[in-house]
Amino acid sequence: MYSIELMIEEHKNILKLIEVIRNACCGILDGAEVNVEDFEKMIQFCRNYADKHHHGKEEVILFKKMTEKLGALAEKLINHGMLVEHDLGRLFISELETSLNQYRDNPKTIYKLGIIGGATGYANLLTRHIDKEDNAVYKFAEKQLTPEVLESVDELVRSFEKEAEEQSVQEKYLAILDELTKKYPSK
Ligand SMILES: [Fe+2]
Ligand SMILES: [Fe+2]
């Protein structure tokens, strides 16, 4: 199914960024200076691609249909599972941002700890979250939603994507991902 395949591809991009985050944090632990500008780019990617662009489609389109059409189990899985984790991800990113700003003004070790804590918390959370979606939530949706509903999800996702393309969202953030992946390669 188009929408689910697309969202699984987006997960792969988010996991690449998570690898960048982990490599940048390991660099700090090994004594490298904190590159504030690069961490700001990671935050931008997490907020605008992983959250707004990807979680946006989940929350406004796919998960919405699941809670509307699939009853109590779906409601529990989405409202008390996936959406809570999206919120927790936002919290980790705002903690990372706060520590980054503190570090910029006053480069103390305690703020480095906050940067590594927020970034690693986000990385671990999203890794588990993506695994659950790829292996359980999306499969549940594909199996349980009717072909008509799946077709309407595809249609809504196509128009969401088109609108994002008009604003060069995918192009902009995949270029940032490419740049950061080259700068913080896997070890
Ligand atoms: Fe999600
Ligand atoms: Fe997702």
Side-chain angles (χ1 to χ4, degrees), residues 41-94:
K41 287 181 187 164
M42 294 171 213
I43 292 173
Q44 272 185 34
F45 184 95
C46 294
R47 286 205 171 127
N48 295 316
Y49 184 88
D51 199 24
K52 197 168 170 222
H53 185 67
H54 175 76
H55 294 158
K57 285 193 288 287
E58 289 177 341
E59 292 184 4
V60 179
I61 304 171
L62 180 67
F63 292 171
K64 189 162 173 270
K65 290 282 183 205
M66 289 173 77
T67 52
E68 278 170 11
K69 307 283 182 189
L70 300 180
L73 177 61
E75 229 174 277
K76 197 173 161 213
L77 186 66
I78 302 301
N79 295 340
H80 304 289
M82 299 301 107
L83 299 191
V84 173
E85 291 180 357
H86 287 180
D87 266 344
L88 195 51
R90 289 168 194 135
L91 178 71
F92 279 128
I93 292 299
S94 84

Side-chain angles (χ1 to χ4, degrees), residues 120-179:
T120 310
Y122 179 84
N124 293 342
L125 172 77
L126 261 285
T127 303
R128 283 195 308 272
H129 180 82
I130 285 172
D131 183 61
K132 275 186 246 175
E133 288 179 342
D134 284 352
N135 295 304
V137 182
Y138 289 174
K139 286 194 163 82
F140 177 60
E142 268 189 309
K143 224 175 174 176
Q144 299 295 327
L145 292 170
T146 63
E148 293 73 27
V149 174
L150 289 172
E151 188 46 50
S152 76
V153 168
D154 271 355
E155 244 172 69
L156 291 166
V157 167
R158 277 184 219 282
S159 79
F160 187 107
E161 284 298 297
K162 193 165 169 264
E163 214 172 288
E165 262 166 38
E166 281 161 12
Q167 294 164 34
S168 306
V169 171
Q170 298 92 328
E171 194 189 335
K172 179 176 175 186
Y173 292 100
L174 294 181
I176 289 177
L177 176 63
D178 195 45
E179 180 202 329

Side-chain angles (χ1 to χ4, degrees), residues 7-44:
M7 288 194 263
I8 289 174
E9 279 308 305
E10 290 174 347
H11 282 169
K12 289 180 190 159
N13 292 329
I14 297 167
L15 289 171
K16 278 188 201 161
L17 196 274
I18 285 172
E19 197 61 32
V20 164
I21 289 176
R22 290 201 173 109
N23 291 339
C25 288
C26 285
I28 298 171
L29 289 172
D30 286 343
E33 279 306 301
V34 176
N35 188 322
V36 173
E37 209 178 280
D38 284 348
F39 271 95
E40 280 170 347
K41 287 181 187 164
M42 294 171 213
I43 292 173
Q44 272 185 34

